[in-house]
Amino acid sequence: AAQSWFERGEGTPRKPRAASSVLLLRDSRQGAETYLRYRRGESPLGKIAFPGGSLEAADDDPVAWYGPAPAEWARMLGMDDPQQARRHVVAAVRELFEETGVLLAGPDEATLLESNRGADWMAAREGIASGELSLPQLLSKRGLGLRSDLLRPLTHWLTADFALRRFDTRYFAAVQPLGQDTSLLESKGVWGQWRVASDEIERAATSE
């Protein structure tokens, strides 16, 4: 793709799609672990990746909000637009819930959802994945607010200019909440595992 882009002298790169991704972390005897999943298809984010995806229109919808305000998130993310920063935070919470079942939400600023087990929660994830349900709608129905204080800004990644599909991705970190389990989305589940972070960093430096 890079060679073709330079040979053709296309010059103007495609506009990147805004996205959010979350490194979900937990402690283990082997050290910090992170949750990785397999992506179907030729994803520009890689077949083995962290939970994440593109921003959606519903990410702008009203939602009860606990933690740093959008203006503070814009400062932490190095962005000028608080509304865009808010979209990235909502998308991060949405994608994490959809792909792992972990929901960073609670009834107030000091409380977190205690359990994400049960068929009703899986049905909610399927609804969000299909577009039949939005995260703001789910939180409103459950009397929950988004806990933005449980996310930490991590890094910013922009796909290379020559890529056929480009993403402008904001990466966040979050710790797995007590009482909440990770599971694959039934309709899209292929593979998902907790992996020792130091092993994966070492593996990334090899050709394996």
Side-chain angles (χ1 to χ4, degrees), residues 10 20 30 51 58-59 86 120 132 138-139 143-144 159 163 170 177 186 190 204-205:
E10 294 184 3
S20 292
Q30 293 75 39
D59 295 333
R86 181 188 183 280
D120 54 340
E132 296 177 1
L138 171 66
L139 296 182
L144 301 173
T159 312
R170 301 285 173 163
E186 289 180 348
V190 177

Side-chain angles (χ1 to χ4, degrees), residues 96-109:
L96 182 64
F97 175 62
E98 177 186 324
E99 296 188 11
T100 73
V102 169
L103 181 57
L104 303 182
D108 55 56
E109 61 185 7

Side-chain angles (χ1 to χ4, degrees), residues 58-61 63 65 85-95 135-136 146 151:
D59 295 333
D60 275 324
D61 292 349
V63 63
W65 185 280
R86 181 188 183 280
R87 294 183 188 104
H88 277 285
V89 171
V90 175
V93 174
R94 171 175 51 76
E95 288 290 335
L135 179 66
L146 187 148
L151 286 172

Side-chain angles (χ1 to χ4, degrees), residues 4 37 46 58 67-69 72 78 152 183 189:
S4 174
R37 64 180 293 273
E72 178 62 13
R152 294 292 183 271
S183 62

Side-chain angles (χ1 to χ4, degrees), residues 32-44:
E33 293 183 332
T34 187
Y35 189 82
L36 296 174
R37 64 180 293 273
Y38 176 86
R39 292 179 181 274
R40 286 193 177 117
E42 298 299 325
S43 169

